[in-house]
Amino acid sequence: MLSIRSVKSDSFIGKCVELRGWVYRKVSLGGKIFIVLRDSSDIIQCVVDESKVNSRTWSNAEKITRESSCIVRGVVKSDPRAPGGYELQVSDLEIVGLSEWFPIRGNEGVDYLLDHRHLWIRSRRLQAIMKIKHTVLEAGREYFNRNGWWEVTPPILTSSACESGATQFEVNYFGQKAYLSQSAQLYLEALIYTLDKVWSLTPSFRAEKSRTRRHLAEYWHLEAEAAWYGMEDMMKVVEELVYYMVERVLRDRMDELKFLKRDTRILENAKPPYPKITYDEAIEILQSKGVNIKWGDDLGADEERVLTEEFETPFFITHFPKEIKAFYMKLDPKNPRVVLGFDLLAPEGYGEIVGGSVREDSYDALLKRIIEMGLNPEEYKWYLDLRRYGSVPHSGFGLGIERTVMWIAGLDHIRDAIPFPRFRERIYP
Ligand code: 4AD
Ligand code: MG
């Protein structure tokens, strides 16, 4: 089977080809019907000329509707007026699935389009974004596989919270309480004791209270954990990984970036090493810019946006106050008010795309943090065990795939970085 993209080439001019796809647009003009056909690769204008086809093909062309599936045969021609420079002079048109009146024109409101998401994913915009996501995922896998990391498969049904209990989805597990995973981290930590360096790609779930431009209730989480790695080692992995993704998208998805009108200069300049600032410095920058914030406050989307104005590449923020970070982060021995944790923020207002840290590897210190944070040590018994049987210094991080796609593709909302987004109010298709 030939793809539309493959026949849009000078070597096909004058050749008879068969294409399969869906009707993207249709216009009738005098004795001609112009059908723009789409498949996963591209679109092409197909010209049906009443004087050149048999009556069956002409009546099919008259009857066919937008989004119908069909098989078209014809000769490839070069035509500077056709979109993309090539068109198909149709000799034969066969309807496979005649479409009813398609309920989307493209200018409908957000909620209407979410309600019709199963159909709206056919749009060229979402198609382009899904291709970029494919390449981001491919690059992520390739980066780890080429650098000696083991891919593992942690569970989604879990017994304890990794991040805040406030954002946990509870499920009825055969009459007992269980939770949908917020992060594979705790399980990845167990796995480094046998595989040293591990990574996983899983869905993560967050019962986020508010609907924002960058929060989903279900997202794809790329996580890594490694024995013997310290803070600097892990930040190096993060910047290499992110740049590997950016480079791969620039190499393989330029057409899609252009279609989305992405300014690629920022991406081209996103070469590591990335700047690092401490939380203290971030607070100083924010205060100097008139933001009302004091030491100890968490950085929300608004604060992050202001900080991103200072940088043209992704950048790290490190050493956050322990109160605003998770219980498992190791306290800085030089200043135990802060943790050995880091976030990577994407520029241009996007903000956090990665969160990571050194993990507390002492049994006593970890138990103390669990109690301090008001968590139940019983629930973390197995996790504490890891510090009893051959504890090892280690670090890890989690990268939000949709956040990363959002930045690379230049999207203004996270919803389009996933085909079937989940938000608070209700589940759409
Ligand atoms: O910063 P977070 O909460 O860190 C963790 O879950 C760690 N346990 C990861 C680890 O160290 N293994 O989440 C990591 C990343 C964030 O930086 C963000 O990119 C993404 O996951 N993320 C979300 N993406 C979309 N919607 C949400 N509600 C998200 N919450 C976090
Ligand atoms: Mg975070």
Side-chain angles (χ1 to χ4, degrees), residues 149-252:
W149 298 70
W150 294 98
E151 181 173 4
V152 293
T153 56
I156 300 300
L157 288 166
T158 67
S159 55
S160 45
C162 179
E163 300 304 311
S164 151
T167 60
Q168 286 211 99
F169 277 107
E170 199 177 295
V171 289
N172 178 336
Y173 188 75
F174 305 108
Q176 277 177 285
K177 268 188 198 173
Y179 307 95
L180 294 180
S181 173
Q182 297 171 307
S183 161
Q185 180 192 324
L186 306 191
Y187 298 95
L188 296 189
E189 285 188 58
L191 286 158
I192 60 164
Y193 289 78
T194 170
L195 294 169
D196 287 322
K197 291 173 22 174
V198 299
W199 69 278
S200 64
L201 175 66
T202 60
S204 276
F205 300 86
R206 306 281 170 110
E208 301 285 355
K209 299 289 174 274
S210 49
R211 185 160 161 173
T212 77
R213 291 184 325 131
R214 58 180 206 165
H215 286 97
L216 290 162
E218 176 180 354
Y219 71 96
W220 286 83
H221 207 169
L222 185 63
E223 292 177 276
E225 196 74 30
W228 314 109
Y229 274 49
M231 180 105 158
E232 294 295 322
D233 306 320
M234 213 30 107
M235 293 201 299
K236 189 148 182 288
V237 173
V238 168
E239 62 189 14
E240 281 178 8
L241 168 68
V242 168
Y243 189 58
Y244 203 80
M245 291 171 162
V246 169
E247 250 191 328
R248 184 53 57 89
V249 172
L250 286 170
R251 192 192 81 182
D252 294 349

Side-chain angles (χ1 to χ4, degrees), residues 83-103:
Y86 298 89
E87 64 177 24
L88 196 74
Q89 185 69 52
V90 176
S91 54
D92 190 44
L93 170 67
E94 207 180 301
I95 301 175
V96 176
L98 186 67
S99 175
E100 291 179 29
W101 184 83
F102 199 66

